Amino acid sequence: MTITHPQGFRAAGSAVGLKPSGRPDLTVVVNDGPSDAVSAVYTSNRCKANPVLWSEAAGADGRARAVVLNSGGANCYTGDFGYETSRLTAERAAQLLDTRPEDVLVCSTGLIGVGGQDFRDRIVGGLADLVAAAGGEAQHGEESAQAIMTTDTVPKTVTRTAEAPVAGGSSGEYRLGGMAKGAGMLAPGLATMLVVLTTDADLPADVLDRALRTATGQSFDRLDTDGCMSTNDTVIVMASGASGATPDEESFTALLTDACLDLMRQLHVDAEGAHHDIAITTSGAASTDEAVAVSRSVARSNLFKAAIFGEDPNWGRVVAQVGTTDAQFDPARIDVTINGVRVCTDSTPDEDPETVVFTREVTVEIDLKAGDAAATVWTSDLTHDYVEENSAYST
Amino acid sequence: MTITHPQGFRAAGSAVGLKPSGRPDLTVVVNDGPSDAVSAVYTSNRCKANPVLWSEAAGADGRARAVVLNSGGANCYTGDFGYETSRLTAERAAQLLDTRPEDVLVCSTGLIGVGGQDFRDRIVGGLADLVAAAGGEAQHGEESAQAIMTTDTVPKTVTRTAEAPVAGGSSGEYRLGGMAKGAGMLAPGLATMLVVLTTDADLPADVLDRALRTATGQSFDRLDTDGCMSTNDTVIVMASGASGATPDEESFTALLTDACLDLMRQLHVDAEGAHHDIAITTSGAASTDEAVAVSRSVARSNLFKAAIFGEDPNWGRVVAQVGTTDAQFDPARIDVTINGVRVCTDSTPDEDPETVVFTREVTVEIDLKAGDAAATVWTSDLTHDYVEENSAYST
């Protein structure tokens, strides 16, 4: 069970020949309602892929009945033809589901530049069988999660169940489901993170939207494996209202955030080429934004990431990155702890770095001594495998 | 001949035991005047090394008689003891040169955290012999250039000679010399770029300062091999006035810029771990700043840099990086040319990427079609050697 865990959702996955491997590459997720509330966040890259351009416009009214997702081609930088492909995909799905094209969102993932006539024909031509096959049973959710995989080694899914008031004053159960693909920003071809979340809670689009922005801000936005911003990133949440339960905004936001953190961790540990999963926590910051900025600056340092690959607790590279930010701190008072060993106190050497023990998980703690805010950013080390996979993928 | 090419300068280099290899690691450059005008630019990192903190204060009055530089230790994040070491170094050199400590600048390069009692003793103890040996002959300039090397494979030097008016209305010759160490920001330990430039032109400190900021802004500031900002970077220019010639500001700035570009190129091609030297030129920009920002965004993309290592002309990764900037452009109208092949026109595929021929030098041209400004940023590819050298250096 994944995206079909909540009531009111059907899904199916199939192989239409977009992937040379013949693996599943097309999926549809249908919201049968009664509600069709939707919200989505997209890549902030200004050079967006065509499916993002389509979905941003189509989903702007807070309503959607379905999402069609494909792997095997990003349909990015494919010009007007590519945009027309996304529109035709939505049109055909709408026809089959008896709804409007503007109620169908489209997501694509795979190599940039892939999105020609063949690509279009296989997707549009494959939709009739796909929609006919869509159901709510467990295996359909799994099929969907597999059909959006590119270089992922495992599908990423999540389910949650919680209590909330229902009409008439009693209490009922509502559910949340989700699937994700991608390896942070590590995936070659840049077409990386796609996430679909479903719930049978009865919530209007504006509540979904605020909850989604909070949840992604604390999860996916803080996974920064190689600093590269994708062209296709999309996170969608759809609410069917089929449970009749209406959780309060705060508890729904907490549940959605928890589910997004779960998916984010699955993306993190499956990041391509990574040998170490690094969590960088900055505390003592004047604000959460500054804590994120400091942690992110370290997460983006190739020198630091290469050092961690070599299991070298090189705290100098951490302090040097802190110094590149505008955060409030005294440059002479920074503490750095790596895997529990305080290697740097007040910007000078403290405990012997030789005593740091390395495992797959690495924690870096930075104390700025400038306030009470804290935040964690997750990243991966810079490895030979990263170089290899990203230099050899498309040639 | 390097920094002793202009009249009025003496230098010497020696080995005082800072480098385990026993190679030269300490040098002094003395300006015998008649003028003692100086200007310097330093790393913008807020967590600066101790010699930078000393020199920023000492050189603030636009006067200096000497610079003492060491390799074999960055004296960075070494606390008050480290600052005291820089001060004692200046004090001892001043005593030997019969000048004020505030007229001696100090530069250090090597590993962060290295700067203990031994480091101090060797430098301070070695200055008497070094100053006694200082001369203006050719070999002394070469010794100096070698004594500041860390992971450099070759010393980097430059000389220039030009005409300018002298007092009384006639025309005379003036000279410029320079030496540099570092491999952009690729050097492990972060203590990377040190540059000393000398001239016997007669120019006040404010003219030197404006000329130096223009020159470094167009040269060293546009070399961005791995996006990491150093803690010790220092570029110093000293003018002795010994030629009696006073070039106009514009022509001196042009000559200084030309010399800095020459040294920058030497740093670029000696960048550690690099297999390709990449020049990224953005044209059609609304301003020079935006052209630099766009070129720099591409220079910092690990995905793009790994692709170039694999000789994959992956223009999608270029357009995606352009999309992360705030520069003016139409996302659907970007052109990308790699090694002369127009692989992308109007953000869609154009000529066959397979026809791109790769050599050590790679040119990437981006046309934003939004204005008349252009700028180039230089970078290196992301290679296995880069990962290896930066993961294994200090452990």
Side-chain angles (χ1 to χ4, degrees), chain B residues 27-48:
Chain B
T27 181
V28 63
V29 181
V30 182
N31 178 358
D32 287 321
S35 171
D36 61 359
V38 73
S39 172
V41 294
Y42 302 96
T43 178
S44 53
N45 199 306
R46 291 170 58 200
C47 298
K48 300 175 202 298

Side-chain angles (χ1 to χ4, degrees), chain A residues 54-102:
Chain A
W54 167 265
S55 297
E56 274 189 327
D61 62 355
R63 297 172 55 193
R65 278 286 168 203
V67 186
V68 177
L69 309 94
N70 76 273
S71 52
N75 193 15
C76 179
Y77 309 151
T78 46
D80 294 341
F81 183 90
Y83 185 80
E84 191 65 6
T85 297
S86 293
R87 194 186 65 73
L88 288 170
T89 302
E91 200 167 84
R92 178 66 178 139
Q95 189 179 37
L96 294 162
L97 291 165
D98 194 23
T99 186
R100 301 179 312 146
E102 292 73 22

Side-chain angles (χ1 to χ4, degrees), chain A residues 41 283 348 374:
Chain A
V41 295
S283 62
T348 55

Side-chain angles (χ1 to χ4, degrees), chain B residues 242-263:
Chain B
S243 71
T246 303
D248 66 84
E249 185 168 340
E250 191 180 349
S251 60
F252 178 75
T253 301
L255 194 74
L256 190 68
T257 302
D258 181 57
C260 287
L261 280 166
D262 191 327
L263 288 173

